[in-house]
């Protein structure tokens, strides 16, 4: 029997409330309201019921000190038995509001017909409807496609065909022809989107006390058409064109114009060192690159064009970061944004999009594997449909929403947030500057953002700086987070700033164009965990012998995805797709499972927690990279080094992974200053790989553990180091 929560909440005294930062004059009234809300849960109520009653009553407000939110939340869940009950929930779906969610409306309209008498309501029938979506993908996707702004020039002959067994992921929307960028730019009556609808809201850093800027759908389309005409004057259809710049309005316009015109976007993150820019240009065979002269962050100008010039000889079109004039001298053959746009002079105000098959290449993104070379992942026109449908179903993005997710087109969340807004009829909010501080948080308020995405490191920065103090985030109705493991207390801070709105945790991959596990507004949400699989996504958890655990058993193991996965990749440009994603995976129900690489835990209660990677890929600050890439750089950091091993360590209290470098010296009897070595590793990584990666720990060891075939056992090193650090923390 679950224990009553009366003892925990009722133990809070006025002195505790005052110690948490509330004025003495307000402490008694707060405590009375808290106890009244807790009592409304009923005598003998469980701890989650008491917390639900307190959160629903609005006793805790955004302006209250974080220490007060901590006091009440952690008191409410004192002595909660995670082993018996799973992680404690902080947010609960409303039986009334659930029917107004996107997925809830679809279930109410179709549930009785599809599920029969087993259908009750969106909350209690979610698991049944999820299973239906996995087992009846044609029916599910035919319904969902009607909810999005997807206009086919030629309708698909079928939703899914599995007749070609060589295509392990099936053939989706066979025969369909469209231009997915055009779908983002046209009015859509079903989504109440007109030419006058606001497509983008933005603000430039440094103008934070000025009103936000608005761009209508018609204005966006006009600017995209101008860029498309200029592209036609310079390139051949199908040419690959890179974008390496912050995610500004111009970046979004260029992105859509490239695809509208039948070209292919090559996505490169603006944080990359010259070598990484060059490798991606080389792999993708890009003919040109759009970039900026500088990146403006926190009032500072960080060179970008100079890195592009060092990394590639490809023709660069350079946009000024500030004003209309460039702050640099261009290399011979490169051109300014102004000169580029002049190529469209005299051309028609209309444009004929290039319509292509649904499996046509539109975007090349990159994801690090364990080979040391980034995998070039092609996105087709299926990929945008998949990511927009995911945010429709799980983040509940609607036509009235204003979506903001600070990111970059070099990372998968860049294209995802573009399509998630435009294919769902929502407005995209962009901040041209650093998202780390109060100015960005003020933009969230001033733009009226309703769906706010983040990565845990951003939330940690906002919390550390108390960046939302005095700001009104009550228009937010859904929060999202992805990229790395979330910290429980950081997320408590985040949801409390938005009056305890749900945080939808998302975990997926560039090659999936989606998340395979994520939160849902139809299930209670817990901090730092995923409440279930994405709609239509099937998977099993495998034991060490590759045998699937039963679906309802708490366990930990490697994920095996069902291969019939709408929007997932079926090829790589520079690697063997089958070898990377299928070789060695077991057969399940007649089909070979698809490898993703995550080790996940299924808890009591059916929540999921990512435990790390089955291979040697690590996640640093939301960026996936491989041990091999880091080791390649670190091995050259000092002449004394024989070899290095890079592993990531997950903190015992949760949160983002920490990078640890272990080193073997050429002279194993020599003494070496570990702090000096750490500085050299950090410098080498920042210069040659990514300045965002931080070395947290360095250790010199006599040798590395290896297999009989001499393969480095990084997992053994990771486990040994994690145990050593855990023992230290107990001292």
């Amino acid at each position: 029997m679950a224990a009553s929560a009366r003892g925990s909440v009722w133990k809070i005294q006025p002195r505790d409330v005052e110690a948490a930062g509330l004025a003495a004059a307000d402490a008694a009234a707060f405590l009375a309201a808290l106890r009244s809300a807790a009592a409304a849960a009923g005598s003998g109520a469980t701890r989650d019921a008491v917390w639900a009653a307190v959160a629903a009553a609005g006793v805790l407000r955004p302006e209250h000190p974080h220490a007060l939110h901590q006091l009440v939340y952690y008191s409410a869940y004192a002595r909660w038995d995670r082993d018996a009950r799973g992680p404690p929930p902080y947010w609960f779906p409303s039986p009334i509001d659930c029917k107004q969610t996107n997925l809830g409306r679809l279930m109410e309209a179709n549930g009785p017909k599809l599920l029969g008498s087993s259908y009750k309501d969106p909350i209690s029938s979610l698991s049944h409807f999820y299973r239906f979506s996995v087992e009846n993908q044609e029916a599910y996707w035919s319904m969902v496609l009607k909810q999005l702004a997807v206009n086919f020039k030629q309708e698909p002959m079928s939703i899914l065909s599995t007749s070609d067994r060589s295509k392990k992921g099936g053939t989706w929307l066979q025969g369909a022809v469209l231009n997915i960028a055009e779908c983002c730019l046209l009015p859509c009556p079903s989504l109440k989107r007109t030419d006058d609808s606001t497509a983008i809201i933005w603000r430039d850093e440094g103008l934070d006390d000025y009103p936000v800027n608005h761009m209508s759908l018609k204005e966006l389309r006009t600017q995209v058409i101008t860029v498309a005409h200029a592209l036609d004057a310079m390139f051949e259809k199908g040419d690959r064109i890179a974008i390496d710049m912050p995610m500004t309005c111009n970046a979004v316009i260029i992105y859509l114009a490239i695809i509208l015109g039948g070209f292919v976007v090559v996505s490169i993150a603006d944080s990359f060192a010259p070598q990484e820019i060059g490798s991606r240009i080389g792999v993708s065979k890009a003919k040109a690159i759009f970039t900026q002269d500088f990146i403006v962050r926190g009032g500072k100008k960080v060179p970008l064009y100079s890195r592009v010039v060092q990394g590639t000889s490809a023709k660069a079109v350079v946009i000024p970061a500030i004003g209309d004039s460039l702050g640099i001298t261009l290399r011979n053959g490169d051109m300014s944004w102004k000169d580029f746009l002049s190529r469209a002079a005299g051309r028609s105000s209309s444009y004929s999009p290039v319509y292509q098959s649904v499996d046509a290449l539109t975007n090349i993104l990159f994801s690090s594997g364990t080979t040391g070379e980034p995998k070039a992942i092609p996105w087709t026109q299926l990929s945008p449909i998949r990511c927009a449908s995911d945010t429709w179903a799980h983040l509940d993005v609607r036509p009235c929403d204003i979506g903001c997710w600070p990111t970059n087109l070099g990372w998968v969340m860049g294209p995802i947030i573009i399509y998630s807004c435009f294919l769902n009829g929502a407005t995209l909010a962009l901040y041209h500057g650093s998202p780390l501080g109060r100015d960005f948080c003020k933009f969230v308020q001033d733009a009226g953002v309703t769906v706010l995405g983040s990565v845990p490191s951003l939330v940690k920065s906002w919390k550390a700086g108390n960046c939302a103090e005095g700001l009104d985030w009550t228009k937010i109705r859904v929060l999202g987070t992805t990229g790395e493991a979330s910290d429980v207390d950081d997320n408590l801070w985040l949801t409390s700033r938005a009056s305890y709105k749900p945080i939808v945790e998302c975990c997926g991959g560039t090659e999936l164009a989606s998340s395979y596990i994520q939160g849902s507004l139809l299930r209670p949400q817990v901090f730092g965990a995923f409440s279930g699989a994405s709609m239509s996504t099937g998977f099993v958890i495998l034991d060490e012998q590759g045998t699937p655990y039963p679906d309802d058993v708490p366990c930990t193991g490697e994920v095996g995805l069902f291969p019939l996965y709408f929007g997932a990749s079926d090829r790589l440009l520079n690697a063997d797709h089958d070898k990377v994603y299928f070789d060695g995976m077991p057969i399940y129900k007649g089909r070979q499972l698809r490898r993703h690489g995550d080790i996940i835990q299924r808890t009591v209660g059916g929540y999921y927690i990512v435990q790390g990677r089955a291979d040697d890929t690590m996640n640093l600050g939301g960026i996936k990279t491989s041990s091999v890439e880091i080791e390649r750089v670190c091995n050259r950091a000092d002449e004394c080094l024989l070899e290095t091993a890079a592993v990531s360590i997950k903190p015992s209290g949760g949160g983002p992974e920490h990078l640890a470098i272990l080193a073997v010296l050429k002279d194993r009897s020599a003494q070496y200053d570990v702090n000096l070595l750490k500085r050299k590793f950090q410098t080498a990584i920042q210069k040659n790989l990514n300045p965002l990666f931080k070395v947290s720990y360095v250790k010199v060891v006599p040798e590395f553990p290896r297999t009989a075939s001499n393969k480095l056992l990084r997992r053994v090193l990771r486990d040994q180091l994690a145990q050593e650090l855990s023992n230290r923390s107990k001292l």
Side-chain angles (χ1 to χ4, degrees):
M1 179 180 294
S4 167
R6 289 188 63 88
S8 55
V9 173
W10 264 260
K11 286 183 178 179
I12 297 176
Q13 299 298 315
R15 63 178 179 275
D16 301 319
V17 176
E18 292 175 32
L22 208 61
D26 300 324
F30 173 84
L31 199 54
L34 173 64
R35 289 176 174 174
S36 175
S43 61
T46 57
R47 301 180 190 281
D48 53 339
V50 169
W51 170 253
V54 169
V59 176
L60 289 163
R61 299 194 300 271
E63 64 268 22
H64 282 147
H66 181 55
L68 188 61
H69 292 273
Q70 291 174 308
L71 173 66
V72 177
Y73 174 77
Y74 294 121
S75 294
Y77 280 117
R79 297 187 300 280
W80 173 268
D81 191 345
R82 291 178 66 100
D83 292 336
R85 305 199 64 194
Y90 68 91
W91 180 86
F92 304 83
S94 159
I96 297 174
D97 294 344
C98 74
K99 296 180 180 180
Q100 302 306 313
T101 64
N102 290 332
L103 200 55
R105 286 186 293 104
L106 190 73
M107 291 173 67
E108 285 286 279
N110 299 279
K113 176 179 64 178
L114 299 175
L115 302 180
S117 60
S118 67
Y119 182 78
K120 305 301 179 187
D121 60 74
I123 296 174
S124 58
S125 299
L126 176 62
S127 60
H128 296 294
F129 194 66
Y130 159 72
R131 282 196 296 272
F132 175 87
S133 75
V134 175
E135 296 168 0
N136 302 273
Q137 298 220 32
E138 297 92 333
Y140 175 76
W141 284 103
S142 66
M143 292 186 292
V144 172
L145 285 170
K146 295 173 184 175
Q147 311 300 317
L148 307 176
V150 175
N151 305 301
F152 294 108
K153 192 70 173 177
Q154 183 173 308
E155 294 286 334
M157 294 182 291
S158 63
I159 298 294
L160 170 62
S161 171
T162 57
S163 58
D164 186 350
R165 299 293 289 189
S166 68
K167 294 188 175 181
K168 296 178 179 179
T171 302
W172 294 91
L173 305 186
Q174 190 170 20
V177 174
L178 74 160
N179 185 295
I180 199 65
E182 182 191 45
C183 296
C184 296
L185 298 169
L186 294 179
C188 183
S190 65
L191 299 179
K192 300 179 181 179
R193 182 170 72 187
T194 69
D195 272 348
D196 294 328
S197 297
T198 301
I200 300 177
I201 295 175
W202 84 96
R203 174 182 279 163
D204 292 325
E205 182 179 275
L207 301 177
D208 303 291
D209 292 325
Y210 287 78
V212 296
N213 303 288
H214 296 78
M215 183 185 295
S216 71
L217 181 68
K218 183 177 181 180
E219 290 168 335
L220 173 62
R221 186 170 65 248
T222 298
Q223 294 197 43
V224 169
I225 285 172
T226 298
V227 174
H229 278 310
L231 289 169
D232 283 345
M234 294 179 59
F235 302 103
E236 299 293 328
K237 298 298 185 183
D239 279 352
R240 298 168 180 183
I241 302 168
I243 302 176
D244 183 0
M245 59 186 290
M247 192 162 166
T248 62
C249 290
N250 280 332
V252 173
I253 289 165
I254 294 164
Y255 183 90
L256 292 172
I258 291 172
I259 296 171
L260 188 74
F263 307 99
V264 179
V265 176
V266 176
S267 294
I268 300 177
D270 62 10
S271 62
F272 278 135
Q275 296 93 325
E276 297 300 309
I277 296 171
S279 70
R280 284 156 176 78
I281 293 290
V283 168
S284 65
K285 298 179 173 60
K287 295 291 182 66
I289 182 169
F290 284 88
T291 188
Q292 284 185 180
D293 49 2
F294 299 97
I295 300 172
V296 178
R297 286 286 186 271
K300 298 179 180 179
K301 292 167 65 175
V302 179
L304 178 57
Y305 174 67
S306 60
R307 276 189 275 135
V308 170
V309 169
Q310 291 176 54
T312 178
S313 60
K315 184 181 188 67
V317 178
V318 189
I319 301 166
I322 301 173
D324 298 323
S325 300
L326 293 174
I328 42 85
T329 300
L330 293 180
R331 174 181 60 181
N332 288 339
D334 293 343
M335 67 191 309
S336 70
W337 177 239
K338 182 179 179 180
D339 287 344
F340 169 77
L341 292 178
S342 70
R343 300 296 183 97
R347 299 209 174 210
S348 170
S349 60
S350 61
Y351 190 83
S352 298
V354 174
Y355 297 105
Q356 302 184 87
S357 65
V358 76
D359 61 354
L361 178 62
T362 62
N363 193 177
I364 300 171
L365 296 111
F366 295 90
S367 178
S368 295
T370 56
T371 63
E373 182 180 55
K375 296 195 298 288
I377 298 172
W379 263 33
T380 68
Q381 300 195 91
L382 288 168
S383 312
I385 297 173
R386 175 65 197 227
C387 66
S389 68
D390 257 21
T391 50
W392 175 88
H394 291 269
L395 280 153
D396 197 44
V397 176
R398 308 178 192 174
C400 59
D401 279 320
I402 298 172
C404 181
W405 203 308
T407 183
N408 185 271
L409 286 172
W411 308 120
V412 71
M413 279 311 304
I416 285 178
I417 190 61
I418 289 176
Y419 291 120
S420 293
C421 286
F422 294 155
L423 294 183
N424 282 303
T427 297
L428 174 63
L430 298 171
Y431 185 70
H432 298 175
S434 171
L436 293 172
R438 182 176 175 81
D439 292 343
F440 172 81
C441 293
K442 185 175 183 295
F443 170 70
V444 170
Q445 167 193 271
D446 296 349
V449 170
T450 59
V451 179
L452 176 63
S454 64
V455 295
S457 55
L458 265 182
V459 178
K460 190 175 292 293
S461 175
W462 297 338
K463 175 189 168 192
N466 202 16
C467 294
E469 183 179 13
L471 299 177
D472 182 0
W473 277 13
T474 55
K475 287 186 178 179
I476 295 173
R477 61 180 194 86
V478 185
L479 295 150
T481 184
T482 190
E484 52 188 314
S486 293
D487 180 88
V488 170
D489 197 66
D490 289 348
N491 274 6
L492 173 62
W493 177 89
L494 179 63
T495 185
S496 70
R497 297 309 97 184
S499 299
Y500 286 95
K501 297 302 192 301
I503 303 172
V504 176
E505 300 265 358
C506 309
C507 179
T510 305
E511 74 283 358
L512 300 178
S514 63
S515 298
Y516 72 94
I517 49 175
Q518 55 188 322
S520 169
L521 301 195
L522 301 181
R523 275 207 73 189
Q525 296 302 294
V526 305
F527 291 129
F530 309 86
S531 61
S534 298
M535 296 301 295
S536 83
T537 301
F539 69 83
V540 291
I541 300 177
L542 305 169
D543 65 18
E544 293 184 356
Q545 286 72 45
T547 303
Y549 288 101
D551 288 341
D552 57 351
V553 173
C555 58
T556 299
E558 183 176 354
V559 172
L561 296 173
F562 291 7
L564 299 179
Y565 195 120
F566 188 109
S569 64
D570 62 3
R571 61 192 185 275
L572 294 170
L573 300 186
N574 61 340
D576 185 324
H577 190 271
D578 274 6
K579 183 176 181 180
V580 171
Y581 294 115
F582 288 97
D583 278 9
M585 293 298 285
I587 304 296
Y588 182 75
K589 294 186 176 179
R591 290 188 176 274
Q592 189 173 24
L593 294 172
R594 178 179 177 125
R595 178 181 294 106
H596 179 66
D598 283 347
I599 300 292
I600 66 172
Q601 173 194 6
R602 181 164 52 227
T603 72
V604 172
Y607 292 90
Y608 296 92
I609 300 172
V610 176
Q611 299 293 318
R613 298 288 294 174
D615 54 22
D616 291 314
T617 300
M618 61 184 75
N619 188 324
L620 302 176
I623 301 171
K624 289 181 181 177
T625 190
S626 73
S627 297
V628 173
E629 286 181 297
I630 295 174
E631 290 159 6
R632 186 182 65 232
V633 170
C634 289
N635 285 341
R636 301 194 301 266
D638 194 291
E639 287 294 325
C640 74
L641 294 168
L642 177 65
E643 58 179 341
T644 61
V647 298
S648 61
I649 304 297
K650 193 170 183 179
S652 58
E657 297 174 23
H658 292 172
L659 173 60
I661 309 292
L662 295 97
V664 175
L665 304 179
K666 292 177 180 176
D667 180 0
R668 302 190 187 190
S669 63
Q671 298 295 314
Y672 201 96
D673 185 341
V674 174
N675 290 324
L676 175 60
L677 197 55
K678 181 179 179 180
R679 290 195 296 272
K680 289 190 174 185
F681 286 153
Q682 187 68 69
T683 299
I685 290 171
Q686 287 182 335
K687 182 179 178 181
N688 299 293
L689 194 56
N690 195 313
L692 300 180
F693 295 165
K694 180 182 178 181
V695 179
S696 297
Y697 184 79
V698 170
K699 182 180 181 181
V700 175
V701 296
E703 61 182 3
F704 293 147
R706 297 184 179 277
T707 65
S709 59
N710 207 40
K711 290 182 179 178
L712 179 59
L713 289 169
R714 294 185 185 86
R715 186 179 299 181
V716 173
L717 288 171
R718 185 186 303 119
D719 292 343
Q720 290 174 346
L721 190 56
Q723 184 62 51
E724 178 182 328
L725 295 177
S726 175
N727 292 339
R728 284 189 186 182
S729 67
K730 295 175 183 177
L731 296 177

